[in-house]
Amino acid sequence: MPGHFRERRVGRTKVSAIAQLRPTACYSVEVRIRDVSQCGFMAECCEPIAIGSSVALDVPGIGEVQAQVRWQIGGRMGGMFLNPISLDRCEWIAVRTEPSEVA
């Protein structure tokens, strides 16, 4: 691996979910979340968002999470959560169970 790349500290879970990302209090942008970890996310976003800017991401099961945009290449971007999230509460990766039948 080239010297300018760092190994990830935590694993990421693949996701395909629509979410709202708020670069400012005035408006939000629809993004497609592609992966998530306790520390961040990767999303497809058609709007340019400045690297280093603060954003808020609506995470189902958790609520609004503050993050910082760390990179954007073409239509993809990566964000780092300012405070790690609990993936146990994240509905994007929750295991769905079927109700058991009562005999």
Side-chain angles (χ1 to χ4, degrees), residues 8 12 21 35-43 53 55 57 66-72 76-82:
R8 294 197 190 278
R12 294 190 172 246
L21 181 76
D35 68 38
V36 67
S37 75
Q38 293 172 323
C39 298
F41 66 96
M42 193 267 286
S53 63
V55 296
L57 178 68
Q66 300 299 311
Q68 181 185 48
V69 175
R70 303 298 288 182
W71 60 269
Q72 185 169 30
R76 292 192 176 224
M77 60 166 294
M80 179 181 75
F81 296 133
L82 300 184

Side-chain angles (χ1 to χ4, degrees), residues 53-66:
S53 63
S54 295
V55 296
L57 178 68
D58 285 331
V59 180
I62 295 174
E64 189 173 272
V65 179
Q66 300 299 311

